[in-house]
Short mmCIF file of all heavy atoms in Angstrom, two decimals:
data_model
loop_
_atom_site.label_atom_id
_atom_site.label_comp_id
_atom_site.label_asym_id
_atom_site.label_seq_id
_atom_site.Cartn_x
_atom_site.Cartn_y
_atom_site.Cartn_z
N MET A 48 -0.36 27.97 1.99
CA MET A 48 -0.52 28.95 0.94
C MET A 48 0.81 29.68 0.74
O MET A 48 1.44 30.11 1.69
CB MET A 48 -1.60 29.95 1.31
CG MET A 48 -1.78 31.05 0.30
SD MET A 48 -3.11 32.15 0.77
CE MET A 48 -2.23 33.69 0.74
N SER A 49 1.25 29.80 -0.50
CA SER A 49 2.45 30.57 -0.78
C SER A 49 2.18 31.56 -1.90
O SER A 49 1.39 31.31 -2.80
CB SER A 49 3.62 29.65 -1.13
OG SER A 49 3.31 28.87 -2.25
N ILE A 50 2.85 32.69 -1.79
CA ILE A 50 2.72 33.78 -2.75
C ILE A 50 4.10 34.09 -3.29
O ILE A 50 5.07 34.15 -2.52
CB ILE A 50 2.13 35.04 -2.08
CG1 ILE A 50 0.73 34.75 -1.53
CG2 ILE A 50 2.10 36.21 -3.06
CD1 ILE A 50 0.18 35.85 -0.66
N LEU A 51 4.21 34.28 -4.59
CA LEU A 51 5.46 34.72 -5.19
C LEU A 51 5.23 36.11 -5.76
O LEU A 51 4.40 36.29 -6.66
CB LEU A 51 5.92 33.77 -6.29
CG LEU A 51 7.26 34.16 -6.89
CD1 LEU A 51 8.39 33.79 -5.93
CD2 LEU A 51 7.48 33.53 -8.24
N ILE A 52 5.92 37.09 -5.22
CA ILE A 52 5.89 38.44 -5.76
C ILE A 52 7.02 38.49 -6.77
O ILE A 52 8.20 38.35 -6.42
CB ILE A 52 6.07 39.49 -4.65
CG1 ILE A 52 4.96 39.33 -3.61
CG2 ILE A 52 6.06 40.89 -5.24
CD1 ILE A 52 5.12 40.19 -2.39
N LYS A 53 6.68 38.68 -8.03
CA LYS A 53 7.62 38.46 -9.12
C LYS A 53 8.03 39.76 -9.81
O LYS A 53 7.19 40.60 -10.12
CB LYS A 53 6.97 37.54 -10.15
CG LYS A 53 7.88 37.11 -11.27
CD LYS A 53 7.19 36.10 -12.15
CE LYS A 53 8.14 35.68 -13.27
NZ LYS A 53 7.53 34.70 -14.15
N GLY A 54 9.33 39.92 -10.01
CA GLY A 54 9.85 41.00 -10.85
C GLY A 54 9.88 42.37 -10.23
O GLY A 54 9.98 43.37 -10.94
N GLY A 55 9.81 42.45 -8.90
CA GLY A 55 9.82 43.75 -8.24
C GLY A 55 11.23 44.27 -8.01
O GLY A 55 12.22 43.55 -8.15
N ARG A 56 11.32 45.56 -7.67
CA ARG A 56 12.61 46.16 -7.30
C ARG A 56 12.84 45.90 -5.82
O ARG A 56 12.03 46.26 -4.99
CB ARG A 56 12.61 47.65 -7.58
CG ARG A 56 12.56 47.95 -9.07
CD ARG A 56 12.81 49.40 -9.38
NE ARG A 56 14.16 49.75 -8.96
CZ ARG A 56 14.52 50.95 -8.52
NH1 ARG A 56 13.63 51.91 -8.45
NH2 ARG A 56 15.75 51.20 -8.14
N LEU A 57 13.98 45.28 -5.49
CA LEU A 57 14.31 44.90 -4.12
C LEU A 57 15.54 45.68 -3.67
O LEU A 57 16.50 45.82 -4.43
CB LEU A 57 14.62 43.40 -4.05
CG LEU A 57 13.62 42.45 -4.70
CD1 LEU A 57 14.19 41.03 -4.69
CD2 LEU A 57 12.30 42.52 -3.99
N LEU A 58 15.54 46.15 -2.45
CA LEU A 58 16.72 46.76 -1.86
C LEU A 58 17.41 45.68 -1.04
O LEU A 58 16.91 45.26 0.00
CB LEU A 58 16.35 47.95 -0.98
CG LEU A 58 17.53 48.72 -0.38
CD1 LEU A 58 18.43 49.27 -1.47
CD2 LEU A 58 17.03 49.84 0.51
N LEU A 59 18.54 45.20 -1.53
CA LEU A 59 19.24 44.08 -0.91
C LEU A 59 20.40 44.59 -0.06
O LEU A 59 21.13 45.49 -0.45
CB LEU A 59 19.75 43.12 -1.98
CG LEU A 59 18.69 42.54 -2.91
CD1 LEU A 59 19.35 41.67 -3.96
CD2 LEU A 59 17.65 41.76 -2.13
N SER A 60 20.56 43.98 1.10
CA SER A 60 21.64 44.31 2.01
C SER A 60 22.86 43.47 1.67
O SER A 60 22.75 42.25 1.47
CB SER A 60 21.21 44.07 3.44
OG SER A 60 22.26 44.36 4.33
N GLU A 61 24.01 44.11 1.61
CA GLU A 61 25.25 43.39 1.35
C GLU A 61 26.29 43.85 2.36
O GLU A 61 26.11 44.84 3.06
CB GLU A 61 25.70 43.67 -0.09
CG GLU A 61 24.71 43.15 -1.11
CD GLU A 61 25.20 43.28 -2.53
OE1 GLU A 61 26.18 44.00 -2.78
OE2 GLU A 61 24.59 42.64 -3.39
N THR A 62 27.40 43.15 2.43
CA THR A 62 28.42 43.47 3.43
C THR A 62 28.98 44.88 3.25
O THR A 62 29.37 45.51 4.21
CB THR A 62 29.57 42.45 3.38
OG1 THR A 62 30.09 42.41 2.05
CG2 THR A 62 29.10 41.08 3.80
N ASP A 63 29.00 45.38 2.03
CA ASP A 63 29.55 46.72 1.79
C ASP A 63 28.47 47.77 1.56
O ASP A 63 28.74 48.84 1.04
CB ASP A 63 30.52 46.69 0.61
CG ASP A 63 29.86 46.20 -0.67
OD1 ASP A 63 28.74 45.67 -0.62
OD2 ASP A 63 30.47 46.37 -1.74
N GLY A 64 27.24 47.48 1.93
CA GLY A 64 26.15 48.45 1.78
C GLY A 64 24.90 47.81 1.22
O GLY A 64 24.62 46.65 1.50
N HIS A 65 24.18 48.57 0.44
CA HIS A 65 22.92 48.10 -0.14
C HIS A 65 22.96 48.31 -1.65
O HIS A 65 23.68 49.17 -2.15
CB HIS A 65 21.74 48.89 0.45
CG HIS A 65 21.56 48.67 1.90
ND1 HIS A 65 22.27 49.37 2.85
CD2 HIS A 65 20.76 47.83 2.58
CE1 HIS A 65 21.91 48.97 4.05
NE2 HIS A 65 21.00 48.03 3.92
N ARG A 66 22.16 47.53 -2.34
CA ARG A 66 22.03 47.71 -3.78
C ARG A 66 20.60 47.36 -4.21
O ARG A 66 19.92 46.55 -3.58
CB ARG A 66 23.03 46.86 -4.54
CG ARG A 66 22.73 45.38 -4.51
CD ARG A 66 23.71 44.58 -5.37
NE ARG A 66 23.50 43.16 -5.20
CZ ARG A 66 22.67 42.42 -5.95
NH1 ARG A 66 21.99 42.97 -6.92
NH2 ARG A 66 22.51 41.13 -5.72
N TRP A 67 20.16 48.00 -5.29
CA TRP A 67 18.86 47.68 -5.87
C TRP A 67 19.03 46.55 -6.86
O TRP A 67 20.01 46.49 -7.60
CB TRP A 67 18.29 48.90 -6.59
CG TRP A 67 17.80 49.95 -5.66
CD1 TRP A 67 18.47 51.08 -5.30
CD2 TRP A 67 16.56 49.98 -4.97
NE1 TRP A 67 17.72 51.81 -4.42
CE2 TRP A 67 16.53 51.16 -4.21
CE3 TRP A 67 15.47 49.13 -4.92
CZ2 TRP A 67 15.46 51.50 -3.41
CZ3 TRP A 67 14.39 49.47 -4.12
CH2 TRP A 67 14.39 50.64 -3.38
N ALA A 68 18.06 45.64 -6.88
CA ALA A 68 18.07 44.53 -7.83
C ALA A 68 16.63 44.18 -8.17
O ALA A 68 15.71 44.42 -7.38
CB ALA A 68 18.77 43.32 -7.24
N THR A 69 16.43 43.64 -9.34
CA THR A 69 15.12 43.12 -9.71
C THR A 69 15.08 41.66 -9.30
O THR A 69 16.02 40.91 -9.56
CB THR A 69 14.88 43.25 -11.22
OG1 THR A 69 14.95 44.64 -11.57
CG2 THR A 69 13.52 42.69 -11.61
N GLY A 70 14.00 41.28 -8.62
CA GLY A 70 13.93 39.90 -8.16
C GLY A 70 12.55 39.51 -7.68
O GLY A 70 11.59 40.24 -7.84
N ASN A 71 12.51 38.35 -7.05
CA ASN A 71 11.26 37.75 -6.60
C ASN A 71 11.31 37.51 -5.10
O ASN A 71 12.38 37.31 -4.53
CB ASN A 71 11.02 36.43 -7.32
CG ASN A 71 11.01 36.59 -8.82
OD1 ASN A 71 10.69 37.66 -9.35
ND2 ASN A 71 11.38 35.54 -9.53
N VAL A 72 10.14 37.49 -4.48
CA VAL A 72 10.01 37.22 -3.04
C VAL A 72 8.93 36.16 -2.86
O VAL A 72 7.81 36.32 -3.34
CB VAL A 72 9.61 38.50 -2.26
CG1 VAL A 72 9.43 38.20 -0.79
CG2 VAL A 72 10.62 39.60 -2.47
N ARG A 73 9.28 35.06 -2.16
CA ARG A 73 8.29 34.03 -1.86
C ARG A 73 7.87 34.17 -0.40
O ARG A 73 8.70 34.29 0.50
CB ARG A 73 8.83 32.63 -2.08
CG ARG A 73 7.81 31.56 -1.62
CD ARG A 73 8.13 30.14 -2.01
NE ARG A 73 7.95 29.97 -3.45
CZ ARG A 73 8.95 29.87 -4.32
NH1 ARG A 73 10.19 29.88 -3.91
NH2 ARG A 73 8.71 29.73 -5.60
N ILE A 74 6.56 34.15 -0.19
CA ILE A 74 5.98 34.26 1.15
C ILE A 74 5.16 33.00 1.40
O ILE A 74 4.34 32.61 0.57
CB ILE A 74 5.07 35.50 1.26
CG1 ILE A 74 5.87 36.75 0.91
CG2 ILE A 74 4.42 35.60 2.63
CD1 ILE A 74 5.02 37.97 0.64
N GLU A 75 5.40 32.36 2.53
CA GLU A 75 4.59 31.21 2.95
C GLU A 75 3.97 31.56 4.29
O GLU A 75 4.69 31.84 5.26
CB GLU A 75 5.45 29.95 3.05
CG GLU A 75 5.93 29.47 1.69
CD GLU A 75 6.79 28.22 1.76
OE1 GLU A 75 7.02 27.71 2.88
OE2 GLU A 75 7.25 27.78 0.70
N GLY A 76 2.65 31.54 4.34
CA GLY A 76 1.95 31.99 5.55
C GLY A 76 2.21 33.47 5.75
O GLY A 76 1.87 34.28 4.91
N SER A 77 2.87 33.81 6.84
CA SER A 77 3.18 35.21 7.12
C SER A 77 4.69 35.47 7.11
O SER A 77 5.13 36.50 7.61
CB SER A 77 2.58 35.62 8.47
OG SER A 77 3.15 34.83 9.50
N ARG A 78 5.46 34.57 6.52
CA ARG A 78 6.93 34.70 6.53
C ARG A 78 7.52 34.74 5.13
O ARG A 78 7.08 34.00 4.24
CB ARG A 78 7.56 33.53 7.27
CG ARG A 78 7.20 33.49 8.72
CD ARG A 78 7.98 32.37 9.40
NE ARG A 78 7.64 32.30 10.79
CZ ARG A 78 8.32 32.91 11.75
NH1 ARG A 78 9.35 33.64 11.46
NH2 ARG A 78 7.95 32.79 13.00
N ILE A 79 8.53 35.57 4.97
CA ILE A 79 9.33 35.57 3.75
C ILE A 79 10.27 34.38 3.85
O ILE A 79 11.03 34.28 4.80
CB ILE A 79 10.11 36.88 3.59
CG1 ILE A 79 9.14 38.06 3.42
CG2 ILE A 79 11.07 36.79 2.41
CD1 ILE A 79 9.80 39.41 3.46
N VAL A 80 10.21 33.48 2.87
CA VAL A 80 11.04 32.28 2.93
C VAL A 80 12.14 32.26 1.87
O VAL A 80 13.08 31.49 1.98
CB VAL A 80 10.19 30.99 2.83
CG1 VAL A 80 9.28 30.86 4.03
CG2 VAL A 80 9.41 30.94 1.54
N ASP A 81 12.04 33.10 0.85
CA ASP A 81 13.06 33.14 -0.18
C ASP A 81 12.99 34.48 -0.88
O ASP A 81 11.92 35.04 -1.09
CB ASP A 81 12.83 32.00 -1.19
CG ASP A 81 14.10 31.53 -1.86
OD1 ASP A 81 15.18 32.13 -1.60
OD2 ASP A 81 14.03 30.56 -2.63
N ILE A 82 14.17 35.00 -1.25
CA ILE A 82 14.22 36.30 -1.90
C ILE A 82 15.43 36.33 -2.83
O ILE A 82 16.49 35.78 -2.50
CB ILE A 82 14.29 37.44 -0.85
CG1 ILE A 82 14.20 38.81 -1.50
CG2 ILE A 82 15.52 37.32 0.01
CD1 ILE A 82 13.97 39.93 -0.51
N GLY A 83 15.26 36.90 -4.00
CA GLY A 83 16.38 37.04 -4.92
C GLY A 83 15.97 36.95 -6.37
O GLY A 83 14.82 36.64 -6.69
N PRO A 84 16.92 37.19 -7.26
CA PRO A 84 16.60 37.20 -8.69
C PRO A 84 16.35 35.81 -9.28
O PRO A 84 15.74 35.70 -10.33
CB PRO A 84 17.84 37.84 -9.32
CG PRO A 84 18.94 37.61 -8.34
CD PRO A 84 18.29 37.59 -6.98
N ASP A 85 16.79 34.75 -8.60
CA ASP A 85 16.67 33.40 -9.15
C ASP A 85 15.53 32.58 -8.54
O ASP A 85 15.43 31.38 -8.81
CB ASP A 85 17.98 32.64 -8.97
CG ASP A 85 19.13 33.32 -9.69
OD1 ASP A 85 18.89 33.89 -10.77
OD2 ASP A 85 20.26 33.30 -9.16
N VAL A 86 14.69 33.19 -7.71
CA VAL A 86 13.59 32.47 -7.08
C VAL A 86 12.50 32.23 -8.13
O VAL A 86 11.98 33.17 -8.72
CB VAL A 86 13.03 33.27 -5.88
CG1 VAL A 86 11.84 32.55 -5.27
CG2 VAL A 86 14.11 33.51 -4.85
N GLU A 87 12.20 30.97 -8.37
CA GLU A 87 11.21 30.60 -9.39
C GLU A 87 9.90 30.18 -8.73
O GLU A 87 9.89 29.68 -7.61
CB GLU A 87 11.75 29.45 -10.24
CG GLU A 87 12.95 29.84 -11.09
CD GLU A 87 12.63 30.90 -12.13
OE1 GLU A 87 11.51 30.90 -12.66
OE2 GLU A 87 13.51 31.73 -12.39
N PRO A 88 8.77 30.36 -9.43
CA PRO A 88 7.48 29.97 -8.86
C PRO A 88 7.34 28.46 -8.72
O PRO A 88 7.84 27.70 -9.55
CB PRO A 88 6.46 30.53 -9.85
CG PRO A 88 7.20 30.80 -11.10
CD PRO A 88 8.64 30.98 -10.74
N HIS A 89 6.67 28.05 -7.65
CA HIS A 89 6.25 26.66 -7.48
C HIS A 89 4.89 26.49 -8.16
O HIS A 89 4.18 27.47 -8.39
CB HIS A 89 6.12 26.30 -6.01
CG HIS A 89 7.41 26.30 -5.27
ND1 HIS A 89 7.47 26.40 -3.90
CD2 HIS A 89 8.70 26.22 -5.68
CE1 HIS A 89 8.73 26.37 -3.52
NE2 HIS A 89 9.50 26.26 -4.58
N SER A 90 4.50 25.28 -8.42
CA SER A 90 3.25 25.04 -9.13
C SER A 90 2.03 25.53 -8.36
O SER A 90 1.01 25.87 -8.95
CB SER A 90 3.10 23.55 -9.45
OG SER A 90 3.08 22.80 -8.26
N ASP A 91 2.11 25.58 -7.03
CA ASP A 91 0.96 26.00 -6.23
C ASP A 91 1.05 27.45 -5.75
O ASP A 91 0.22 27.89 -4.96
CB ASP A 91 0.77 25.07 -5.03
CG ASP A 91 1.99 25.06 -4.11
OD1 ASP A 91 3.08 25.48 -4.55
OD2 ASP A 91 1.84 24.64 -2.96
N ASP A 92 2.05 28.23 -6.21
CA ASP A 92 2.17 29.63 -5.81
C ASP A 92 1.09 30.49 -6.44
O ASP A 92 0.73 30.29 -7.60
CB ASP A 92 3.52 30.21 -6.26
CG ASP A 92 4.68 29.82 -5.38
OD1 ASP A 92 4.44 29.33 -4.26
OD2 ASP A 92 5.83 30.00 -5.82
N THR A 93 0.62 31.45 -5.68
CA THR A 93 -0.14 32.56 -6.25
C THR A 93 0.91 33.57 -6.67
O THR A 93 1.72 34.00 -5.86
CB THR A 93 -1.08 33.18 -5.20
OG1 THR A 93 -2.01 32.19 -4.77
CG2 THR A 93 -1.81 34.38 -5.76
N VAL A 94 0.93 33.95 -7.95
CA VAL A 94 1.96 34.84 -8.47
C VAL A 94 1.39 36.25 -8.60
O VAL A 94 0.33 36.46 -9.18
CB VAL A 94 2.50 34.34 -9.82
CG1 VAL A 94 3.53 35.30 -10.38
CG2 VAL A 94 3.09 32.94 -9.67
N VAL A 95 2.12 37.22 -8.04
CA VAL A 95 1.76 38.63 -8.12
C VAL A 95 2.83 39.33 -8.96
O VAL A 95 4.01 39.27 -8.63
CB VAL A 95 1.68 39.27 -6.71
CG1 VAL A 95 1.40 40.75 -6.82
CG2 VAL A 95 0.66 38.56 -5.86
N ASP A 96 2.42 39.98 -10.04
CA ASP A 96 3.37 40.68 -10.91
C ASP A 96 3.68 42.04 -10.30
O ASP A 96 2.81 42.90 -10.18
CB ASP A 96 2.77 40.85 -12.30
CG ASP A 96 3.71 41.53 -13.27
OD1 ASP A 96 4.89 41.73 -12.94
OD2 ASP A 96 3.24 41.88 -14.37
N ALA A 97 4.94 42.26 -9.92
CA ALA A 97 5.36 43.52 -9.31
C ALA A 97 6.35 44.27 -10.22
O ALA A 97 7.10 45.13 -9.75
CB ALA A 97 5.98 43.27 -7.95
N ALA A 98 6.34 43.96 -11.51
CA ALA A 98 7.27 44.60 -12.44
C ALA A 98 7.14 46.12 -12.36
O ALA A 98 6.04 46.67 -12.39
CB ALA A 98 7.00 44.12 -13.86
N GLY A 99 8.28 46.78 -12.18
CA GLY A 99 8.30 48.24 -12.12
C GLY A 99 7.91 48.82 -10.78
O GLY A 99 7.83 50.03 -10.62
N LYS A 100 7.67 47.98 -9.79
CA LYS A 100 7.25 48.44 -8.46
C LYS A 100 8.31 48.08 -7.43
O LYS A 100 9.04 47.13 -7.58
CB LYS A 100 5.92 47.83 -8.09
CG LYS A 100 4.79 48.24 -9.03
CD LYS A 100 3.51 47.57 -8.65
CE LYS A 100 2.36 48.04 -9.49
NZ LYS A 100 2.51 47.92 -10.91
N ILE A 101 8.37 48.86 -6.36
CA ILE A 101 9.28 48.58 -5.26
C ILE A 101 8.58 47.62 -4.30
O ILE A 101 7.44 47.85 -3.91
CB ILE A 101 9.67 49.87 -4.53
CG1 ILE A 101 10.48 50.77 -5.47
CG2 ILE A 101 10.45 49.57 -3.26
CD1 ILE A 101 10.79 52.13 -4.91
N VAL A 102 9.28 46.54 -3.94
CA VAL A 102 8.76 45.58 -2.97
C VAL A 102 9.42 45.90 -1.64
O VAL A 102 10.63 45.81 -1.50
CB VAL A 102 9.07 44.13 -3.40
CG1 VAL A 102 8.57 43.15 -2.35
CG2 VAL A 102 8.44 43.84 -4.75
N ALA A 103 8.60 46.32 -0.67
CA ALA A 103 9.13 46.76 0.62
C ALA A 103 8.37 46.08 1.75
O ALA A 103 7.43 46.65 2.29
CB ALA A 103 9.02 48.28 0.74
N PRO A 104 8.74 44.85 2.11
CA PRO A 104 8.05 44.15 3.19
C PRO A 104 8.10 44.92 4.49
O PRO A 104 9.14 45.45 4.88
CB PRO A 104 8.82 42.84 3.32
CG PRO A 104 9.54 42.68 2.03
CD PRO A 104 9.82 44.06 1.54
N GLY A 105 6.98 45.01 5.15
CA GLY A 105 6.92 45.66 6.44
C GLY A 105 6.80 47.17 6.38
O GLY A 105 6.73 47.83 7.42
N LEU A 106 6.77 47.76 5.20
CA LEU A 106 6.64 49.20 5.08
C LEU A 106 5.24 49.61 5.51
O LEU A 106 4.26 48.99 5.12
CB LEU A 106 6.91 49.64 3.65
CG LEU A 106 6.94 51.14 3.42
CD1 LEU A 106 8.14 51.75 4.15
CD2 LEU A 106 7.04 51.44 1.94
N VAL A 107 5.16 50.65 6.30
CA VAL A 107 3.88 51.12 6.81
C VAL A 107 3.45 52.34 6.03
O VAL A 107 4.25 53.25 5.78
CB VAL A 107 4.00 51.46 8.31
CG1 VAL A 107 2.71 52.04 8.84
CG2 VAL A 107 4.38 50.22 9.09
N ASP A 108 2.18 52.40 5.66
CA ASP A 108 1.63 53.57 5.00
C ASP A 108 1.68 54.74 5.97
O ASP A 108 1.06 54.71 7.03
CB ASP A 108 0.19 53.28 4.57
CG ASP A 108 -0.47 54.47 3.88
OD1 ASP A 108 0.20 55.50 3.67
OD2 ASP A 108 -1.66 54.36 3.55
N THR A 109 2.44 55.78 5.64
CA THR A 109 2.58 56.92 6.55
C THR A 109 1.38 57.85 6.51
O THR A 109 1.28 58.77 7.32
CB THR A 109 3.85 57.73 6.22
OG1 THR A 109 3.77 58.17 4.86
CG2 THR A 109 5.08 56.88 6.43
N HIS A 110 0.46 57.63 5.60
CA HIS A 110 -0.74 58.46 5.53
C HIS A 110 -1.87 57.75 6.29
O HIS A 110 -2.77 57.17 5.71
CB HIS A 110 -1.14 58.69 4.07
CG HIS A 110 -2.36 59.56 3.96
ND1 HIS A 110 -3.56 59.07 3.54
CD2 HIS A 110 -2.55 60.86 4.25
CE1 HIS A 110 -4.45 60.05 3.56
NE2 HIS A 110 -3.86 61.13 4.00
N VAL A 111 -1.76 57.78 7.59
CA VAL A 111 -2.76 57.15 8.44
C VAL A 111 -3.38 58.19 9.35
O VAL A 111 -2.81 59.26 9.57
CB VAL A 111 -2.17 55.99 9.28
CG1 VAL A 111 -1.69 54.87 8.40
CG2 VAL A 111 -1.06 56.48 10.18
N HIS A 112 -4.52 57.89 9.86
CA HIS A 112 -5.24 58.79 10.75
C HIS A 112 -5.36 58.13 12.11
O HIS A 112 -6.37 57.53 12.44
CB HIS A 112 -6.62 59.12 10.16
CG HIS A 112 -6.52 59.77 8.82
ND1 HIS A 112 -6.43 61.13 8.68
CD2 HIS A 112 -6.45 59.25 7.58
CE1 HIS A 112 -6.33 61.43 7.39
NE2 HIS A 112 -6.34 60.29 6.70
N LEU A 113 -4.31 58.23 12.90
CA LEU A 113 -4.26 57.52 14.17
C LEU A 113 -5.19 58.10 15.22
O LEU A 113 -5.51 57.42 16.18
CB LEU A 113 -2.82 57.52 14.70
CG LEU A 113 -1.81 56.81 13.81
CD1 LEU A 113 -0.41 56.96 14.39
CD2 LEU A 113 -2.15 55.35 13.65
N ARG A 114 -5.62 59.33 15.06
CA ARG A 114 -6.46 59.96 16.07
C ARG A 114 -7.94 59.94 15.70
O ARG A 114 -8.75 60.55 16.38
CB ARG A 114 -6.01 61.39 16.30
CG ARG A 114 -4.61 61.43 16.86
CD ARG A 114 -4.17 62.80 17.14
NE ARG A 114 -2.81 62.74 17.65
CZ ARG A 114 -2.10 63.77 17.93
NH1 ARG A 114 -2.58 64.97 17.78
NH2 ARG A 114 -0.88 63.63 18.39
N GLU A 115 -8.29 59.29 14.64
CA GLU A 115 -9.69 59.22 14.27
C GLU A 115 -10.32 58.00 14.88
O GLU A 115 -9.65 56.98 15.04
CB GLU A 115 -9.83 59.17 12.75
CG GLU A 115 -9.50 60.49 12.10
CD GLU A 115 -9.72 60.44 10.60
OE1 GLU A 115 -10.44 59.56 10.12
OE2 GLU A 115 -9.18 61.29 9.91
N PRO A 116 -11.58 58.02 15.21
CA PRO A 116 -12.47 59.17 15.15
C PRO A 116 -12.41 60.00 16.44
O PRO A 116 -12.14 59.46 17.51
CB PRO A 116 -13.85 58.53 14.99
CG PRO A 116 -13.74 57.23 15.70
CD PRO A 116 -12.30 56.79 15.51
N GLY A 117 -12.62 61.28 16.27
CA GLY A 117 -12.80 62.13 17.44
C GLY A 117 -11.70 63.10 17.77
O GLY A 117 -11.96 64.10 18.41
N ARG A 118 -10.46 62.89 17.38
CA ARG A 118 -9.38 63.79 17.75
C ARG A 118 -8.58 64.22 16.52
O ARG A 118 -7.37 64.34 16.57
CB ARG A 118 -8.48 63.11 18.77
CG ARG A 118 -9.27 62.69 19.99
CD ARG A 118 -8.64 62.91 21.26
NE ARG A 118 -7.90 64.15 21.38
CZ ARG A 118 -7.16 64.43 22.40
NH1 ARG A 118 -7.05 63.58 23.38
NH2 ARG A 118 -6.51 65.55 22.48
N GLU A 119 -9.25 64.46 15.41
CA GLU A 119 -8.58 64.77 14.16
C GLU A 119 -7.85 66.11 14.18
O GLU A 119 -6.95 66.34 13.40
CB GLU A 119 -9.59 64.80 13.00
CG GLU A 119 -10.31 63.51 12.79
CD GLU A 119 -11.58 63.39 13.60
OE1 GLU A 119 -11.86 64.24 14.46
OE2 GLU A 119 -12.29 62.40 13.38
N ASP A 120 -8.23 67.02 15.10
CA ASP A 120 -7.68 68.37 15.08
C ASP A 120 -6.34 68.48 15.82
O ASP A 120 -5.70 69.51 15.79
CB ASP A 120 -8.68 69.34 15.70
CG ASP A 120 -9.04 68.97 17.12
OD1 ASP A 120 -9.08 67.77 17.42
OD2 ASP A 120 -9.29 69.88 17.93
N GLU A 121 -5.89 67.47 16.50
CA GLU A 121 -4.63 67.57 17.26
C GLU A 121 -3.49 66.89 16.57
O GLU A 121 -3.59 66.01 15.81
CB GLU A 121 -4.84 66.98 18.65
CG GLU A 121 -5.79 67.81 19.45
CD GLU A 121 -5.95 67.27 20.86
OE1 GLU A 121 -5.11 66.47 21.31
OE2 GLU A 121 -6.91 67.65 21.51
#
């Protein structure tokens, strides 16, 4: 199974720093296998439109309740 996240905003690492770019991310299984503005969909890809959204692999939702249930007050 492969997924192509298409048209998202990507923060790309470069030798002189980072830059924002619009591009695509291909995921096969649980791994990112291709990333960049020229990545095109394969015929069997599930395509997700991410236009106008930031694509941040591995980002964790900081609004979590790690102490629930039972210790919400600490």
Side-chain angles (χ1 to χ4, degrees):
M48 177 178 125
S49 59
I50 299 170
L51 183 76
I52 301 173
K53 186 174 181 180
R56 292 191 63 211
L57 311 172
L58 184 60
L59 302 177
S60 179
E61 297 186 345
T62 55
D63 59 347
H65 296 83
R66 71 176 173 90
W67 287 99
T69 299
N71 303 333
V72 178
R73 174 170 289 106
I74 303 165
E75 291 180 1
S77 61
R78 295 186 181 267
I79 295 171
V80 295
D81 208 356
I82 186 168
D85 299 325
V86 177
E87 294 296 326
H89 293 160
S90 61
D91 61 341
D92 281 345
T93 299
V94 178
V95 176
D96 182 10
K100 297 178 175 56
I101 295 173
V102 178
L106 186 66
V107 176
D108 179 3
T109 58
H110 181 250
V111 296
H112 300 270
L113 298 176
R114 296 183 181 177
E115 288 183 19
R118 302 222 39 188
E119 300 89 352
D120 58 327
E121 293 183 17

